[in-house]
Every structure is written in structure tokens, then in C-alpha cells.
Amino acid sequence: KANNKYWGDKPLIENLIISITPDIGVRMEKLKKGECDIIVSPNPHDIDKITKNKEFKVIKNEGINIGYLALNTEKKPLDNLKVRQAIAYALNKKSYIDVVYNNKATIAINPYPKNVLGYNDSVKKYNYNIEESKRLLNEAGYPNGIDLELWTLPVSRPYNPDGKKMGQLMQSDLAKANIRVKIKSYEWGTYLQKVKNGEHQLVQLGWNSDNGDPDNFLFPLLSCESVDKGSNNARYCNKEFNKIITNAKLTNNQDIRKKLYEEALTILANDEPIVPLAHADIYRISNNRLSGYINNPFDLDYFQYLTFKGENNE
């Protein structure tokens, strides 16, 4: 219910019902049947079709997010740099953008998108190259390849709308480089807990920024402090990298911060504890009677100014 004592502008709608609907397809069906007025995170493959339907409005924003594959650097053979690099070279990111995101995302190079301070396009890139992957595996001491377990995301998220499909594509890619992958998944709560315990080898995850600052990506995802207390799912700890991002956190000089983050991203790409995959666009779809929705790149929703055209706002 609207809080009429709120200090700011009063909401235009008196009552708001939020229906928690985890299934990405069911959300769309509810919208089409008139059971709801707006949905979050639609299936990327539905967006082009729904755009042509004049009964609905597609609301888009460039997301400040990252979908990535974390490589548990504490477990063999992923503690070997050349093995991690071999995995990165074997993944065809372009195919994931095409098939999983329906081209509603951009290929990731850094762990955050280009609209965030310190983005560095000059870092080491791992363009799809099976022969390079095989060469690195051989140098790492695995001429006959390796066997790994890949955990696929069990829920739909903008940064990865279909973990199972992406996992199948990854499995096929890696097999070409003699990296034999067994796919596994768990219920979401179990998945997160087991990752936090460090039980995984390869795991699909992602991150939506809270504020658009590089520290909001690098510190929780990749700092030494976040191995046990945060979301450092690669369990990566490079003291040089850690010192740089800590220094960047402690100054408000944006020019200095930019240079520090560019340096940090260079180190990170060389170490490759995570494989950045995609930065996804953010979508909402509403019916035409709804107006006043404010979309933002942090994948948050503001309902304060929602209103219905020509109807009582209840």
C-alpha cells in the first residue's frame, strides 16, 4: 500500500501487487493474459516478437552487469594459469550472445562494461581459438586433456537468462579442446551455499552493480578479502591486484582511480580467474495502459510514478 507519510512525492497508485513468478515463460503468459501490467527480465527471444505487438511497450536500458564463468583457482588443475587460459580460449562467447541472449547483450572483455570508470580495452583478450587452447593445455602438462565439472545457473537472470543452454554450448566448445566437462546444477539456495563453500570447479554466475562504481565489481568479486566473506567465487587472491584496487578505493581523484583500475584489469586478464562472458541489456515489458515506469541500468524498479491511463489508480 502507498505510504502517504513518505517525505517525497506521493505514489500515484494506491495498491501494488508484486507476484513472484520465477519462470521466465510464465511471466510473459501472465502479461499476455492481462494477469499483470508489467514484467521484469523477459526471455530475450520474446522481445523482438512482442515489440511488434502494439498492445505492449518494451522498455530497454543498457545494463551495468556481468555474466561470467568462475574458475576455482584453489582446485587443481584450475590453479594452473595455462589451464585457465586454455578454458578461456575454448569458449565461443559470440555463440552465447547469439543463442542465449538473442543478441540482447555485448561480449564482455572486462568484469564490468565500458560505461564504468577504468574500463580497459587493451587487456589480454581470449578470442575463440581451439588450437591455442590445446597448445596451452599441452604446455600445462595435459596433452590428453582434462576432466572438469561445470555448474550451470539454475535460475534465469538478465546476466544469464538460460544457464542450462549456455552450459550445453560451453560443454560442446570445451570438448573440442579435449576439456571434458560434466554438467551439474542444484536448487538455487543449495547452489549458492556450495559455491560459497568452494565445492565447485567451474561455475556460472553474474553480478548486477549497485552503484556503477568499479569497486562495486572488483572488491566483492575478486579481492582477497572476499574469498571467504564476499562473492569471490574464483577464490582468487593476487596481492598486487588487491593492493591496486584497495588504493583505488581510498582516493577520490577520478584520474588516479581510472589509471589504477586500468592497471588492475590488465593483471586480472593475465591471471584469468573468471572468464567474462556478457553484459546484458535490461528489459521490462508493460501493457499500454501503464505509464510512468522508470527503468534504470542497475536492474531496479521504481514504482512511485506509475499510473494507469484513464482509470482509477488502484
Side-chain angles (χ1 to χ4, degrees):
K1 292 188 178 299
N3 177 9
N4 293 318
K5 295 181 180 180
Y6 180 62
W7 63 269
D9 296 335
K10 291 183 179 179
L12 300 174
I13 289 177
E14 185 65 28
N15 296 305
L16 179 68
I17 298 171
I18 298 178
S19 174
I20 307 301
T21 310
D23 188 281
I24 196 169
V26 174
R27 291 200 295 274
M28 179 61 75
E29 287 305 309
K30 283 187 174 184
L31 181 69
K32 289 179 178 178
K33 292 177 181 178
E35 296 177 16
C36 65
D37 297 291
I38 188 167
I39 62 170
V40 304
S41 304
N43 188 325
H45 294 274
D46 289 334
I47 292 169
D48 292 340
K49 290 180 285 186
I50 207 77
T51 299
K52 298 174 184 176
N53 190 327
K54 295 182 179 179
E55 295 181 20
F56 302 102
K57 292 184 290 188
V58 176
I59 306 160
K60 174 189 173 183
N61 214 321
E62 287 187 11
I64 304 181
N65 58 40
I66 179 67
Y68 64 89
L69 181 71
L71 288 61
N72 189 339
T73 58
E74 290 184 346
K75 286 196 171 183
K76 291 184 179 298
L78 301 171
D79 59 339
N80 187 314
L81 172 60
K82 290 185 177 180
V83 170
R84 298 197 300 273
Q85 291 178 333
I87 290 169
Y89 275 118
L91 296 176
N92 187 354
K93 298 180 187 179
K94 177 64 169 61
S95 73
Y96 311 155
I97 299 296
D98 293 343
V99 177
V100 178
Y101 299 89
N102 194 30
N103 293 306
K104 303 296 186 293
T106 57
I107 292 175
I109 298 170
N110 296 166
Y112 54 71
K114 62 184 179 181
N115 50 3
V116 175
L117 182 74
Y119 181 86
N120 189 350
D121 191 40
S122 299
V123 301
K124 181 178 178 64
K125 299 179 181 69
Y126 297 86
N127 298 320
Y128 181 53
N129 189 330
I130 293 297
E131 291 309 311
E132 180 66 6
S133 178
K134 289 180 177 178
R135 185 186 70 79
L136 285 164
L137 269 188
N138 189 58
E139 288 186 2
Y142 299 97
N144 298 318
I146 54 176
D147 295 276
L148 294 171
E149 194 170 84
L150 166 65
W151 293 5
T152 59
L153 199 72
V155 293
S156 171
R157 291 289 185 269
Y159 55 71
N160 185 349
D162 192 339
K164 182 178 180 180
K165 172 60 71 176
M166 183 183 284
Q168 292 168 344
L169 293 171
M170 287 179 165
Q171 184 183 48
S172 176
D173 289 341
L174 292 165
K176 296 170 188 173
N178 295 325
I179 301 171
R180 297 169 294 273
V181 165
K182 179 182 178 182
I183 293 177
K184 203 177 249 191
S185 195
Y186 300 91
E187 180 274 328
W188 185 224
T190 303
Y191 189 88
L192 293 175
Q193 187 58 54
K194 291 174 84 68
V195 171
K196 187 176 180 63
N197 295 342
E199 298 175 31
H200 60 288
Q201 288 183 309
L202 307 177
V203 63
Q204 296 173 352
L205 279 162
W207 188 260
N208 287 306
S209 176
D210 299 321
N211 54 31
D213 191 89
D215 179 69
N216 188 235
F217 286 90
L218 298 184
F219 201 84
L221 296 182
L222 293 156
S223 69
C224 295
E225 292 87 340
S226 295
V227 171
D228 294 316
K229 297 180 181 178
S231 299
N232 186 341
N233 304 307
R235 307 189 73 81
Y236 168 73
C237 181
N238 179 315
K239 291 183 179 178
E240 182 184 3
F241 172 86
N242 215 65
K243 182 178 179 180
I244 292 170
I245 64 171
T246 300
N247 289 339
K249 181 199 287 277
L250 297 175
T251 177
N252 60 9
N253 184 313
Q254 295 304 299
D255 291 333
I256 294 175
R257 296 186 82 221
K258 181 176 182 293
K259 290 178 182 178
L260 288 171
Y261 285 124
E262 287 173 347
E263 186 180 348
L265 292 178
T266 298
I267 294 171
L268 186 68
N270 290 335
D271 285 349
E272 200 66 2
I274 67 169
V275 181
L277 299 171
H279 306 298
D281 295 329
I282 300 300
Y283 287 92
R284 302 290 186 266
I285 301 178
S286 77
N287 56 35
N288 276 327
R289 74 189 190 108
L290 189 72
S291 64
Y293 180 80
I294 298 174
N295 190 21
N296 81 33
F298 301 119
D299 203 20
L300 300 174
D301 297 279
Y302 296 97
F303 303 111
Q304 187 173 6
Y305 302 107
L306 286 183
T307 185
F308 292 123
K309 296 177 182 177
E311 299 182 26
N312 293 327
N313 290 311
E314 295 184 356

